[in-house]
Amino acid sequence: MAAITAVMRSASIFLQRADTILKPYGLTFARFEVLALLGFSSRGSLPMSHASRRLQVHATSLTSSVDRLESAGLVRRVPHPTDGRTRLLELTDSGREVLEAAREQLNIQLFADSGLEPREAAELSGILASFRHRAGDFL
Amino acid sequence: MAAITAVMRSASIFLQRADTILKPYGLTFARFEVLALLGFSSRGSLPMSHASRRLQVHATSLTSSVDRLESAGLVRRVPHPTDGRTRLLELTDSGREVLEAAREQLNIQLFADSGLEPREAAELSGILASFRHRAGDFL
DNA sequence: TTCCAAACCTTGGATGTCCAAGTATATTGT
DNA sequence: ACAATATACTTGGACATCCAAGGTTTGGAA
């Protein structure tokens, strides 16, 4: 019980910090994750369905994030060449620039200075990874 | 970085499970926490400002939870005897019954069967408690 | 080939969270 | 005592998340 509430509180602390750091870039952590996923993908484009599975959010949540990213000119929805149902997400040039800048700030201000000792971070990752695995996370 | 995303994902897994378990009672985890806090308080009533501090949510979030709890007849807002600004929250009889039933199910289905080994849960609690302390949590 | 189930995405609605701003009441300092 | 400040709560708006339901397009099965 204590462990579960601690996880929830800690997550909300991290989320608030991330959102604060990302605010100057017009991003939230949810939208940053979309950009980061696109940045990692080798071809630079990804079907929305893949993105929502990777990010572990419902398709509807992704739709709403992408709506905002597209309004901001950071990503584009393009038709899939062979599957009419699918829409591919692509970073725009502007999206790539914002991603790099935002990632750098997150690395500096959040990840490098998370408030966790390296040993603690490693233990957390280990425990939570096996928990998530048992919980069927990581489809 | 991995630790932080693991914490966030795990929190959302726990939250989804809790909400699923609580759904039959017409509760969400956020609203359950309000009821549980009132259940713990010795006098059975608590100013909203205290509740929002204890639960670590903004006053506005609490207002919205309490609106729904009050509509469902589970809590009551009563005026503070000496401070006209303050409103006290009180469990109704129905609220107390729902709280007991919901708590029992959470204990059975979530806390006792969290997917964490006791040793893991203890380590998590320890690491996250010192993190939260350093982060200035627990006002 | 035709038809029905499955997959992909979006819309609409509910909830929770935050912030900014507004109203009401207390408290503090001069 | 009065004015300025602080506290308590609510309202309105933005965002993220989920679920249920609907439209399109595929693909497999009869």
Side-chain angles (χ1 to χ4, degrees), chain A residues 28 31 57-58 60-61 64 68 83-85:
Chain A
T28 60
R31 277 175 270 166
V57 296
H58 274 216
T60 52
S61 304
S64 115
R68 299 180 214 288
D83 188 335
R85 297 167 297 181

PDB file of all heavy atoms in Angstrom, chain A residues 28 31 57-58 60-61 64 68 83-85, chain D residues 15-21 24-27:
ATOM      1  N   THR A  28       4.185  19.371 -23.511  1.00  0.00           N
ATOM      2  CA  THR A  28       3.952  18.674 -22.256  1.00  0.00           C
ATOM      3  C   THR A  28       4.752  17.377 -22.364  1.00  0.00           C
ATOM      4  O   THR A  28       5.254  17.034 -23.437  1.00  0.00           O
ATOM      5  CB  THR A  28       2.473  18.305 -22.101  1.00  0.00           C
ATOM      6  OG1 THR A  28       2.112  17.465 -23.190  1.00  0.00           O
ATOM      7  CG2 THR A  28       1.602  19.547 -22.087  1.00  0.00           C
ATOM      8  N   ARG A  31       3.336  15.054 -25.011  1.00  0.00           N
ATOM      9  CA  ARG A  31       3.647  15.414 -26.393  1.00  0.00           C
ATOM     10  C   ARG A  31       5.128  15.241 -26.674  1.00  0.00           C
ATOM     11  O   ARG A  31       5.522  14.851 -27.776  1.00  0.00           O
ATOM     12  CB  ARG A  31       3.206  16.848 -26.666  1.00  0.00           C
ATOM     13  CG  ARG A  31       1.734  16.932 -27.008  1.00  0.00           C
ATOM     14  CD  ARG A  31       1.268  18.355 -27.170  1.00  0.00           C
ATOM     15  NE  ARG A  31       0.798  18.892 -25.895  1.00  0.00           N
ATOM     16  CZ  ARG A  31       0.588  20.178 -25.669  1.00  0.00           C
ATOM     17  NH1 ARG A  31       0.828  21.074 -26.607  1.00  0.00           N
ATOM     18  NH2 ARG A  31       0.151  20.567 -24.487  1.00  0.00           N
ATOM     19  N   VAL A  57      -0.564   4.304 -24.554  1.00  0.00           N
ATOM     20  CA  VAL A  57      -1.749   5.126 -24.315  1.00  0.00           C
ATOM     21  C   VAL A  57      -2.809   4.744 -25.338  1.00  0.00           C
ATOM     22  O   VAL A  57      -2.494   4.181 -26.382  1.00  0.00           O
ATOM     23  CB  VAL A  57      -1.476   6.644 -24.420  1.00  0.00           C
ATOM     24  CG1 VAL A  57      -0.508   7.091 -23.336  1.00  0.00           C
ATOM     25  CG2 VAL A  57      -0.973   7.012 -25.804  1.00  0.00           C
ATOM     26  N   HIS A  58      -4.051   5.054 -25.033  1.00  0.00           N
ATOM     27  CA  HIS A  58      -5.120   4.732 -25.960  1.00  0.00           C
ATOM     28  C   HIS A  58      -4.982   5.552 -27.225  1.00  0.00           C
ATOM     29  O   HIS A  58      -4.429   6.651 -27.210  1.00  0.00           O
ATOM     30  CB  HIS A  58      -6.463   5.030 -25.305  1.00  0.00           C
ATOM     31  CG  HIS A  58      -6.959   3.886 -24.483  1.00  0.00           C
ATOM     32  ND1 HIS A  58      -8.274   3.545 -24.381  1.00  0.00           N
ATOM     33  CD2 HIS A  58      -6.277   2.990 -23.738  1.00  0.00           C
ATOM     34  CE1 HIS A  58      -8.396   2.495 -23.594  1.00  0.00           C
ATOM     35  NE2 HIS A  58      -7.207   2.141 -23.178  1.00  0.00           N
ATOM     36  N   THR A  60      -7.112   7.211 -28.608  1.00  0.00           N
ATOM     37  CA  THR A  60      -7.763   8.516 -28.482  1.00  0.00           C
ATOM     38  C   THR A  60      -6.847   9.542 -27.819  1.00  0.00           C
ATOM     39  O   THR A  60      -6.878  10.716 -28.170  1.00  0.00           O
ATOM     40  CB  THR A  60      -9.062   8.422 -27.659  1.00  0.00           C
ATOM     41  OG1 THR A  60      -8.775   7.763 -26.436  1.00  0.00           O
ATOM     42  CG2 THR A  60     -10.105   7.650 -28.403  1.00  0.00           C
ATOM     43  N   SER A  61      -6.039   9.090 -26.872  1.00  0.00           N
ATOM     44  CA  SER A  61      -5.115  10.020 -26.230  1.00  0.00           C
ATOM     45  C   SER A  61      -4.093  10.505 -27.244  1.00  0.00           C
ATOM     46  O   SER A  61      -3.740  11.688 -27.284  1.00  0.00           O
ATOM     47  CB  SER A  61      -4.384   9.331 -25.075  1.00  0.00           C
ATOM     48  OG  SER A  61      -5.290   8.806 -24.154  1.00  0.00           O
ATOM     49  N   SER A  64      -5.421  13.129 -29.598  1.00  0.00           N
ATOM     50  CA  SER A  64      -5.496  14.481 -29.069  1.00  0.00           C
ATOM     51  C   SER A  64      -4.111  15.117 -28.958  1.00  0.00           C
ATOM     52  O   SER A  64      -3.939  16.295 -29.262  1.00  0.00           O
ATOM     53  CB  SER A  64      -6.282  14.480 -27.757  1.00  0.00           C
ATOM     54  OG  SER A  64      -5.508  14.830 -26.667  1.00  0.00           O
ATOM     55  N   ARG A  68      -2.632  18.553 -31.293  1.00  0.00           N
ATOM     56  CA  ARG A  68      -1.942  19.754 -30.804  1.00  0.00           C
ATOM     57  C   ARG A  68      -0.563  19.894 -31.425  1.00  0.00           C
ATOM     58  O   ARG A  68      -0.128  20.996 -31.772  1.00  0.00           O
ATOM     59  CB  ARG A  68      -1.832  19.709 -29.286  1.00  0.00           C
ATOM     60  CG  ARG A  68      -3.187  19.666 -28.612  1.00  0.00           C
ATOM     61  CD  ARG A  68      -3.102  19.623 -27.099  1.00  0.00           C
ATOM     62  NE  ARG A  68      -4.160  18.829 -26.516  1.00  0.00           N
ATOM     63  CZ  ARG A  68      -5.429  19.195 -26.460  1.00  0.00           C
ATOM     64  NH1 ARG A  68      -5.812  20.349 -26.937  1.00  0.00           N
ATOM     65  NH2 ARG A  68      -6.339  18.397 -25.924  1.00  0.00           N
ATOM     66  N   ASP A  83      -1.952   1.245 -47.002  1.00  0.00           N
ATOM     67  CA  ASP A  83      -3.101   0.938 -46.148  1.00  0.00           C
ATOM     68  C   ASP A  83      -3.915   2.198 -45.896  1.00  0.00           C
ATOM     69  O   ASP A  83      -3.485   3.100 -45.197  1.00  0.00           O
ATOM     70  CB  ASP A  83      -2.620   0.331 -44.829  1.00  0.00           C
ATOM     71  CG  ASP A  83      -3.778  -0.179 -43.974  1.00  0.00           C
ATOM     72  OD1 ASP A  83      -4.911   0.332 -44.129  1.00  0.00           O
ATOM     73  OD2 ASP A  83      -3.559  -1.078 -43.152  1.00  0.00           O
ATOM     74  N   GLY A  84      -5.078   2.245 -46.470  1.00  0.00           N
ATOM     75  CA  GLY A  84      -5.903   3.449 -46.420  1.00  0.00           C
ATOM     76  C   GLY A  84      -6.395   3.798 -45.034  1.00  0.00           C
ATOM     77  O   GLY A  84      -6.861   4.905 -44.801  1.00  0.00           O
ATOM     78  N   ARG A  85      -6.324   2.833 -44.097  1.00  0.00           N
ATOM     79  CA  ARG A  85      -6.825   3.131 -42.748  1.00  0.00           C
ATOM     80  C   ARG A  85      -5.786   3.881 -41.928  1.00  0.00           C
ATOM     81  O   ARG A  85      -6.097   4.620 -41.005  1.00  0.00           O
ATOM     82  CB  ARG A  85      -7.130   1.820 -42.016  1.00  0.00           C
ATOM     83  CG  ARG A  85      -8.205   1.011 -42.649  1.00  0.00           C
ATOM     84  CD  ARG A  85      -8.238  -0.389 -42.060  1.00  0.00           C
ATOM     85  NE  ARG A  85      -6.993  -1.108 -42.324  1.00  0.00           N
ATOM     86  CZ  ARG A  85      -6.760  -2.365 -41.941  1.00  0.00           C
ATOM     87  NH1 ARG A  85      -7.676  -3.021 -41.255  1.00  0.00           N
ATOM     88  NH2 ARG A  85      -5.618  -2.946 -42.226  1.00  0.00           N
TER      89      ARG A  85
ATOM     90  P    DC D  15      -4.030  23.539 -24.549  1.00  0.00           P
ATOM     91  OP1  DC D  15      -2.719  23.990 -25.032  1.00  0.00           O
ATOM     92  OP2  DC D  15      -5.176  23.368 -25.452  1.00  0.00           O
ATOM     93  O5'  DC D  15      -3.844  22.163 -23.777  1.00  0.00           O
ATOM     94  C5'  DC D  15      -2.915  22.090 -22.732  1.00  0.00           C
ATOM     95  C4'  DC D  15      -3.014  20.752 -22.035  1.00  0.00           C
ATOM     96  O4'  DC D  15      -4.216  20.699 -21.255  1.00  0.00           O
ATOM     97  C3'  DC D  15      -3.069  19.554 -22.981  1.00  0.00           C
ATOM     98  O3'  DC D  15      -1.921  18.764 -22.707  1.00  0.00           O
ATOM     99  C2'  DC D  15      -4.361  18.823 -22.613  1.00  0.00           C
ATOM    100  C1'  DC D  15      -4.668  19.373 -21.228  1.00  0.00           C
ATOM    101  N1   DC D  15      -6.107  19.397 -20.873  1.00  0.00           N
ATOM    102  C2   DC D  15      -6.524  18.741 -19.718  1.00  0.00           C
ATOM    103  O2   DC D  15      -5.681  18.171 -19.026  1.00  0.00           O
ATOM    104  N3   DC D  15      -7.835  18.746 -19.402  1.00  0.00           N
ATOM    105  C4   DC D  15      -8.705  19.374 -20.175  1.00  0.00           C
ATOM    106  N4   DC D  15      -9.991  19.360 -19.814  1.00  0.00           N
ATOM    107  C5   DC D  15      -8.297  20.064 -21.356  1.00  0.00           C
ATOM    108  C6   DC D  15      -7.002  20.046 -21.671  1.00  0.00           C
ATOM    109  P    DA D  16      -1.528  17.556 -23.606  1.00  0.00           P
ATOM    110  OP1  DA D  16      -0.067  17.503 -23.652  1.00  0.00           O
ATOM    111  OP2  DA D  16      -2.325  17.629 -24.846  1.00  0.00           O
ATOM    112  O5'  DA D  16      -2.041  16.322 -22.743  1.00  0.00           O
ATOM    113  C5'  DA D  16      -1.415  16.041 -21.514  1.00  0.00           C
ATOM    114  C4'  DA D  16      -2.107  14.878 -20.849  1.00  0.00           C
ATOM    115  O4'  DA D  16      -3.412  15.278 -20.428  1.00  0.00           O
ATOM    116  C3'  DA D  16      -2.295  13.655 -21.765  1.00  0.00           C
ATOM    117  O3'  DA D  16      -1.756  12.517 -21.109  1.00  0.00           O
ATOM    118  C2'  DA D  16      -3.806  13.553 -21.955  1.00  0.00           C
ATOM    119  C1'  DA D  16      -4.339  14.252 -20.704  1.00  0.00           C
ATOM    120  N9   DA D  16      -5.638  14.872 -20.936  1.00  0.00           N
ATOM    121  C8   DA D  16      -5.964  15.744 -21.938  1.00  0.00           C
ATOM    122  N7   DA D  16      -7.218  16.137 -21.896  1.00  0.00           N
ATOM    123  C5   DA D  16      -7.739  15.477 -20.796  1.00  0.00           C
ATOM    124  C6   DA D  16      -9.019  15.468 -20.220  1.00  0.00           C
ATOM    125  N6   DA D  16     -10.049  16.167 -20.698  1.00  0.00           N
ATOM    126  N1   DA D  16      -9.198  14.697 -19.115  1.00  0.00           N
ATOM    127  C2   DA D  16      -8.162  14.001 -18.639  1.00  0.00           C
ATOM    128  N3   DA D  16      -6.916  13.934 -19.097  1.00  0.00           N
ATOM    129  C4   DA D  16      -6.774  14.703 -20.185  1.00  0.00           C
ATOM    130  P    DT D  17      -1.600  11.154 -21.868  1.00  0.00           P
ATOM    131  OP1  DT D  17      -0.373  10.543 -21.356  1.00  0.00           O
ATOM    132  OP2  DT D  17      -1.817  11.382 -23.312  1.00  0.00           O
ATOM    133  O5'  DT D  17      -2.817  10.264 -21.336  1.00  0.00           O
ATOM    134  C5'  DT D  17      -2.997  10.097 -19.951  1.00  0.00           C
ATOM    135  C4'  DT D  17      -4.374   9.526 -19.696  1.00  0.00           C
ATOM    136  O4'  DT D  17      -5.349  10.591 -19.760  1.00  0.00           O
ATOM    137  C3'  DT D  17      -4.842   8.534 -20.762  1.00  0.00           C
ATOM    138  O3'  DT D  17      -4.583   7.202 -20.395  1.00  0.00           O
ATOM    139  C2'  DT D  17      -6.336   8.753 -20.829  1.00  0.00           C
ATOM    140  C1'  DT D  17      -6.585  10.002 -20.046  1.00  0.00           C
ATOM    141  N1   DT D  17      -7.382  10.952 -20.846  1.00  0.00           N
ATOM    142  C2   DT D  17      -8.657  11.179 -20.443  1.00  0.00           C
ATOM    143  O2   DT D  17      -9.145  10.661 -19.459  1.00  0.00           O
ATOM    144  N3   DT D  17      -9.366  12.035 -21.228  1.00  0.00           N
ATOM    145  C4   DT D  17      -8.917  12.671 -22.370  1.00  0.00           C
ATOM    146  O4   DT D  17      -9.657  13.428 -22.992  1.00  0.00           O
ATOM    147  C5   DT D  17      -7.557  12.390 -22.742  1.00  0.00           C
ATOM    148  C7   DT D  17      -6.966  13.023 -23.961  1.00  0.00           C
ATOM    149  C6   DT D  17      -6.866  11.550 -21.965  1.00  0.00           C
ATOM    150  P    DC D  18      -4.964   6.023 -21.376  1.00  0.00           P
ATOM    151  OP1  DC D  18      -4.145   4.866 -20.980  1.00  0.00           O
ATOM    152  OP2  DC D  18      -4.905   6.543 -22.746  1.00  0.00           O
ATOM    153  O5'  DC D  18      -6.500   5.692 -21.061  1.00  0.00           O
ATOM    154  C5'  DC D  18      -6.874   5.241 -19.770  1.00  0.00           C
ATOM    155  C4'  DC D  18      -8.392   5.329 -19.639  1.00  0.00           C
ATOM    156  O4'  DC D  18      -8.804   6.682 -19.901  1.00  0.00           O
ATOM    157  C3'  DC D  18      -9.136   4.472 -20.650  1.00  0.00           C
ATOM    158  O3'  DC D  18      -9.593   3.284 -20.023  1.00  0.00           O
ATOM    159  C2'  DC D  18     -10.325   5.313 -21.082  1.00  0.00           C
ATOM    160  C1'  DC D  18     -10.082   6.686 -20.510  1.00  0.00           C
ATOM    161  N1   DC D  18     -10.096   7.710 -21.589  1.00  0.00           N
ATOM    162  C2   DC D  18     -11.228   8.521 -21.719  1.00  0.00           C
ATOM    163  O2   DC D  18     -12.162   8.368 -20.934  1.00  0.00           O
ATOM    164  N3   DC D  18     -11.257   9.448 -22.708  1.00  0.00           N
ATOM    165  C4   DC D  18     -10.212   9.578 -23.533  1.00  0.00           C
ATOM    166  N4   DC D  18     -10.291  10.514 -24.490  1.00  0.00           N
ATOM    167  C5   DC D  18      -9.051   8.755 -23.409  1.00  0.00           C
ATOM    168  C6   DC D  18      -9.032   7.831 -22.434  1.00  0.00           C
ATOM    169  P    DC D  19     -10.166   2.110 -20.971  1.00  0.00           P
ATOM    170  OP1  DC D  19     -10.117   0.882 -20.148  1.00  0.00           O
ATOM    171  OP2  DC D  19      -9.480   2.147 -22.271  1.00  0.00           O
ATOM    172  O5'  DC D  19     -11.690   2.498 -21.231  1.00  0.00           O
ATOM    173  C5'  DC D  19     -12.532   2.881 -20.151  1.00  0.00           C
ATOM    174  C4'  DC D  19     -13.914   3.225 -20.683  1.00  0.00           C
ATOM    175  O4'  DC D  19     -13.870   4.522 -21.325  1.00  0.00           O
ATOM    176  C3'  DC D  19     -14.429   2.247 -21.739  1.00  0.00           C
ATOM    177  O3'  DC D  19     -15.790   1.950 -21.467  1.00  0.00           O
ATOM    178  C2'  DC D  19     -14.264   2.989 -23.048  1.00  0.00           C
ATOM    179  C1'  DC D  19     -14.422   4.436 -22.621  1.00  0.00           C
ATOM    180  N1   DC D  19     -13.676   5.389 -23.484  1.00  0.00           N
ATOM    181  C2   DC D  19     -14.353   6.476 -24.039  1.00  0.00           C
ATOM    182  O2   DC D  19     -15.555   6.621 -23.809  1.00  0.00           O
ATOM    183  N3   DC D  19     -13.661   7.340 -24.833  1.00  0.00           N
ATOM    184  C4   DC D  19     -12.361   7.139 -25.060  1.00  0.00           C
ATOM    185  N4   DC D  19     -11.721   8.017 -25.836  1.00  0.00           N
ATOM    186  C5   DC D  19     -11.655   6.037 -24.494  1.00  0.00           C
ATOM    187  C6   DC D  19     -12.341   5.185 -23.722  1.00  0.00           C
ATOM    188  P    DA D  20     -16.544   0.825 -22.309  1.00  0.00           P
ATOM    189  OP1  DA D  20     -17.389   0.111 -21.318  1.00  0.00           O
ATOM    190  OP2  DA D  20     -15.581   0.069 -23.131  1.00  0.00           O
ATOM    191  O5'  DA D  20     -17.492   1.656 -23.285  1.00  0.00           O
ATOM    192  C5'  DA D  20     -18.242   2.755 -22.772  1.00  0.00           C
ATOM    193  C4'  DA D  20     -19.063   3.362 -23.897  1.00  0.00           C
ATOM    194  O4'  DA D  20     -18.262   4.323 -24.625  1.00  0.00           O
ATOM    195  C3'  DA D  20     -19.546   2.350 -24.933  1.00  0.00           C
ATOM    196  O3'  DA D  20     -20.824   2.774 -25.400  1.00  0.00           O
ATOM    197  C2'  DA D  20     -18.483   2.437 -26.009  1.00  0.00           C
ATOM    198  C1'  DA D  20     -18.168   3.926 -25.989  1.00  0.00           C
ATOM    199  N9   DA D  20     -16.822   4.276 -26.454  1.00  0.00           N
ATOM    200  C8   DA D  20     -15.651   3.594 -26.232  1.00  0.00           C
ATOM    201  N7   DA D  20     -14.590   4.153 -26.766  1.00  0.00           N
ATOM    202  C5   DA D  20     -15.107   5.285 -27.383  1.00  0.00           C
ATOM    203  C6   DA D  20     -14.493   6.304 -28.135  1.00  0.00           C
ATOM    204  N6   DA D  20     -13.190   6.355 -28.388  1.00  0.00           N
ATOM    205  N1   DA D  20     -15.289   7.284 -28.618  1.00  0.00           N
ATOM    206  C2   DA D  20     -16.610   7.241 -28.359  1.00  0.00           C
ATOM    207  N3   DA D  20     -17.289   6.330 -27.667  1.00  0.00           N
ATOM    208  C4   DA D  20     -16.469   5.373 -27.204  1.00  0.00           C
ATOM    209  P    DA D  21     -21.661   1.876 -26.438  1.00  0.00           P
ATOM    210  OP1  DA D  21     -23.049   1.872 -25.946  1.00  0.00           O
ATOM    211  OP2  DA D  21     -20.941   0.601 -26.661  1.00  0.00           O
ATOM    212  O5'  DA D  21     -21.580   2.750 -27.772  1.00  0.00           O
ATOM    213  C5'  DA D  21     -21.648   4.165 -27.672  1.00  0.00           C
ATOM    214  C4'  DA D  21     -21.364   4.783 -29.028  1.00  0.00           C
ATOM    215  O4'  DA D  21     -19.946   5.023 -29.182  1.00  0.00           O
ATOM    216  C3'  DA D  21     -21.770   3.904 -30.220  1.00  0.00           C
ATOM    217  O3'  DA D  21     -22.285   4.751 -31.216  1.00  0.00           O
ATOM    218  C2'  DA D  21     -20.443   3.296 -30.653  1.00  0.00           C
ATOM    219  C1'  DA D  21     -19.527   4.497 -30.430  1.00  0.00           C
ATOM    220  N9   DA D  21     -18.101   4.179 -30.363  1.00  0.00           N
ATOM    221  C8   DA D  21     -17.503   3.098 -29.787  1.00  0.00           C
ATOM    222  N7   DA D  21     -16.193   3.089 -29.890  1.00  0.00           N
ATOM    223  C5   DA D  21     -15.911   4.249 -30.590  1.00  0.00           C
ATOM    224  C6   DA D  21     -14.712   4.820 -31.023  1.00  0.00           C
ATOM    225  N6   DA D  21     -13.519   4.275 -30.800  1.00  0.00           N
ATOM    226  N1   DA D  21     -14.782   5.986 -31.695  1.00  0.00           N
ATOM    227  C2   DA D  21     -15.992   6.533 -31.920  1.00  0.00           C
ATOM    228  N3   DA D  21     -17.194   6.082 -31.550  1.00  0.00           N
ATOM    229  C4   DA D  21     -17.073   4.934 -30.888  1.00  0.00           C
ATOM    230  P    DT D  24     -17.840   7.081 -44.065  1.00  0.00           P
ATOM    231  OP1  DT D  24     -18.092   8.258 -44.905  1.00  0.00           O
ATOM    232  OP2  DT D  24     -18.733   5.885 -44.114  1.00  0.00           O
ATOM    233  O5'  DT D  24     -16.374   6.545 -44.381  1.00  0.00           O
ATOM    234  C5'  DT D  24     -15.473   6.410 -43.339  1.00  0.00           C
ATOM    235  C4'  DT D  24     -14.100   6.025 -43.823  1.00  0.00           C
ATOM    236  O4'  DT D  24     -13.591   5.109 -42.840  1.00  0.00           O
ATOM    237  C3'  DT D  24     -14.013   5.284 -45.148  1.00  0.00           C
ATOM    238  O3'  DT D  24     -12.751   5.531 -45.736  1.00  0.00           O
ATOM    239  C2'  DT D  24     -14.182   3.831 -44.722  1.00  0.00           C
ATOM    240  C1'  DT D  24     -13.456   3.810 -43.377  1.00  0.00           C
ATOM    241  N1   DT D  24     -14.044   2.863 -42.409  1.00  0.00           N
ATOM    242  C2   DT D  24     -13.187   2.059 -41.687  1.00  0.00           C
ATOM    243  O2   DT D  24     -11.981   2.107 -41.798  1.00  0.00           O
ATOM    244  N3   DT D  24     -13.808   1.206 -40.826  1.00  0.00           N
ATOM    245  C4   DT D  24     -15.168   1.063 -40.615  1.00  0.00           C
ATOM    246  O4   DT D  24     -15.606   0.260 -39.805  1.00  0.00           O
ATOM    247  C5   DT D  24     -16.001   1.930 -41.403  1.00  0.00           C
ATOM    248  C7   DT D  24     -17.492   1.865 -41.269  1.00  0.00           C
ATOM    249  C6   DT D  24     -15.398   2.785 -42.256  1.00  0.00           C
ATOM    250  P    DT D  25     -12.433   4.954 -47.228  1.00  0.00           P
ATOM    251  OP1  DT D  25     -11.552   5.942 -47.878  1.00  0.00           O
ATOM    252  OP2  DT D  25     -13.683   4.491 -47.882  1.00  0.00           O
ATOM    253  O5'  DT D  25     -11.547   3.665 -46.874  1.00  0.00           O
ATOM    254  C5'  DT D  25     -10.412   3.845 -46.044  1.00  0.00           C
ATOM    255  C4'  DT D  25      -9.807   2.501 -45.722  1.00  0.00           C
ATOM    256  O4'  DT D  25     -10.645   1.800 -44.777  1.00  0.00           O
ATOM    257  C3'  DT D  25      -9.642   1.566 -46.926  1.00  0.00           C
ATOM    258  O3'  DT D  25      -8.323   1.062 -46.885  1.00  0.00           O
ATOM    259  C2'  DT D  25     -10.697   0.488 -46.676  1.00  0.00           C
ATOM    260  C1'  DT D  25     -10.734   0.454 -45.168  1.00  0.00           C
ATOM    261  N1   DT D  25     -11.956  -0.093 -44.530  1.00  0.00           N
ATOM    262  C2   DT D  25     -11.813  -1.030 -43.539  1.00  0.00           C
ATOM    263  O2   DT D  25     -10.744  -1.450 -43.179  1.00  0.00           O
ATOM    264  N3   DT D  25     -13.003  -1.462 -42.995  1.00  0.00           N
ATOM    265  C4   DT D  25     -14.278  -1.052 -43.319  1.00  0.00           C
ATOM    266  O4   DT D  25     -15.256  -1.514 -42.753  1.00  0.00           O
ATOM    267  C5   DT D  25     -14.349  -0.062 -44.374  1.00  0.00           C
ATOM    268  C7   DT D  25     -15.682   0.446 -44.826  1.00  0.00           C
ATOM    269  C6   DT D  25     -13.196   0.363 -44.921  1.00  0.00           C
ATOM    270  P    DT D  26      -7.689   0.357 -48.167  1.00  0.00           P
ATOM    271  OP1  DT D  26      -6.431   1.024 -48.468  1.00  0.00           O
ATOM    272  OP2  DT D  26      -8.728   0.212 -49.214  1.00  0.00           O
ATOM    273  O5'  DT D  26      -7.345  -1.073 -47.586  1.00  0.00           O
ATOM    274  C5'  DT D  26      -8.141  -1.565 -46.530  1.00  0.00           C
ATOM    275  C4'  DT D  26      -7.373  -2.560 -45.701  1.00  0.00           C
ATOM    276  O4'  DT D  26      -8.304  -3.043 -44.741  1.00  0.00           O
ATOM    277  C3'  DT D  26      -6.913  -3.779 -46.471  1.00  0.00           C
ATOM    278  O3'  DT D  26      -5.821  -4.381 -45.794  1.00  0.00           O
ATOM    279  C2'  DT D  26      -8.160  -4.634 -46.490  1.00  0.00           C
ATOM    280  C1'  DT D  26      -8.786  -4.312 -45.130  1.00  0.00           C
ATOM    281  N1   DT D  26     -10.279  -4.216 -45.174  1.00  0.00           N
ATOM    282  C2   DT D  26     -11.000  -4.942 -44.263  1.00  0.00           C
ATOM    283  O2   DT D  26     -10.485  -5.656 -43.434  1.00  0.00           O
ATOM    284  N3   DT D  26     -12.353  -4.785 -44.363  1.00  0.00           N
ATOM    285  C4   DT D  26     -13.046  -4.001 -45.259  1.00  0.00           C
ATOM    286  O4   DT D  26     -14.268  -3.936 -45.237  1.00  0.00           O
ATOM    287  C5   DT D  26     -12.223  -3.271 -46.198  1.00  0.00           C
ATOM    288  C7   DT D  26     -12.871  -2.401 -47.217  1.00  0.00           C
ATOM    289  C6   DT D  26     -10.885  -3.414 -46.111  1.00  0.00           C
ATOM    290  P    DG D  27      -5.092  -5.630 -46.491  1.00  0.00           P
ATOM    291  OP1  DG D  27      -3.694  -5.605 -46.016  1.00  0.00           O
ATOM    292  OP2  DG D  27      -5.408  -5.586 -47.936  1.00  0.00           O
ATOM    293  O5'  DG D  27      -5.804  -6.914 -45.877  1.00  0.00           O
ATOM    294  C5'  DG D  27      -6.151  -6.931 -44.494  1.00  0.00           C
ATOM    295  C4'  DG D  27      -6.832  -8.260 -44.169  1.00  0.00           C
ATOM    296  O4'  DG D  27      -8.263  -8.096 -44.302  1.00  0.00           O
ATOM    297  C3'  DG D  27      -6.471  -9.398 -45.125  1.00  0.00           C
ATOM    298  O3'  DG D  27      -6.530 -10.615 -44.396  1.00  0.00           O
ATOM    299  C2'  DG D  27      -7.577  -9.340 -46.170  1.00  0.00           C
ATOM    300  C1'  DG D  27      -8.761  -8.990 -45.282  1.00  0.00           C
ATOM    301  N9   DG D  27      -9.846  -8.312 -45.965  1.00  0.00           N
ATOM    302  C8   DG D  27      -9.783  -7.464 -47.052  1.00  0.00           C
ATOM    303  N7   DG D  27     -10.953  -7.001 -47.419  1.00  0.00           N
ATOM    304  C5   DG D  27     -11.842  -7.581 -46.512  1.00  0.00           C
ATOM    305  C6   DG D  27     -13.239  -7.452 -46.401  1.00  0.00           C
ATOM    306  O6   DG D  27     -14.011  -6.776 -47.104  1.00  0.00           O
ATOM    307  N1   DG D  27     -13.743  -8.212 -45.344  1.00  0.00           N
ATOM    308  C2   DG D  27     -12.982  -8.985 -44.504  1.00  0.00           C
ATOM    309  N2   DG D  27     -13.641  -9.643 -43.570  1.00  0.00           N
ATOM    310  N3   DG D  27     -11.671  -9.113 -44.596  1.00  0.00           N
ATOM    311  C4   DG D  27     -11.170  -8.385 -45.615  1.00  0.00           C
TER     312       DG D  27
END
